[in-house]
C-alpha cells in the first residue's frame, strides 16, 4: 500500500514559529478536523471547538488542532499548535461562526490568521 501526500495548506507562512503541545479535547464533539480552532473551558481545562456563543472560556482561541481526532467515545489527548501562521481557508470553527470572528482572540495568543498563503 502506498500513501499519497495531499497538502492541506494549513500553514500560511514561516516567520512566526510553530510551537506544538497537547491538550485534552472534550468528549461529545464528534470527529474534529486538523485545523479546527480550539478554545479551553476555564472550569475543566478541556478544549472545545471555539464558538463566539460560548461563555465558558472556549469563546477565545487557545490552539489549532494539528491532527484529526474523534471525540465520540470520550475525551481525547490531541496534538495542537499554540503559535504560528495559518491559512484562514484551512481553519474550522463552530457552526454559525466565521474564522474572522476569532481572528482577534487568535492574535492575542500568537496565532496569526492570514487570508492568503505566502
Amino acid at each position: 500500500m502506498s500513501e499519497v501526500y495531499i497538502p492541506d495548506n494549513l500553514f500560511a507562512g514561516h516567520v512566526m514559529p510553530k510551537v506544538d503541545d497537547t491538550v485534552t479535547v472534550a468528549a461529545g464533539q464528534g470527529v474534529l478536523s486538523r485545523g479546527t480552532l480550539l478554545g479551553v473551558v476555564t472550569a475543566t481545562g478541556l478544549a472545545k471547538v471555539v464558538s463566539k456563543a460560548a461563555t465558558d472560556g472556549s469563546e477565545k482561541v487557545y490552539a489549532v488542532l494539528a491532527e484529526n481526532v474523534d471525540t465520540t467515545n470520550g475525551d481525547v489527548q490531541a496534538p495542537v499548535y499554540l503559535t504560528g501562521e495559518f491559512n484562514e481557508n484551512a481553519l474550522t470553527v463552530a457552526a454559525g461562526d466565521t474564522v474572522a470572528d476569532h481572528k482577534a482572540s487568535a492574535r492575542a495568543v500568537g496565532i496569526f490568521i492570514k487570508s492568503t498563503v505566502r
Side-chain angles (χ1 to χ4, degrees), residues 1-6:
M1 179 169 91
S2 66
E3 293 185 31
V4 176
Y5 172 69
I6 301 172

Side-chain angles (χ1 to χ4, degrees), residues 20-26 32 36 38-40 45-48 62-66 69 75-82:
D20 56 287
D21 200 358
T22 58
V23 298
T24 303
V25 182
L32 303 180
T36 298
L38 299 173
V40 173
L46 298 175
K48 291 173 46 178
Y62 177 77
V64 178
L65 190 60
V69 296
D75 297 346
V76 178
Q77 282 289 113
V80 295
Y81 299 109
L82 298 177

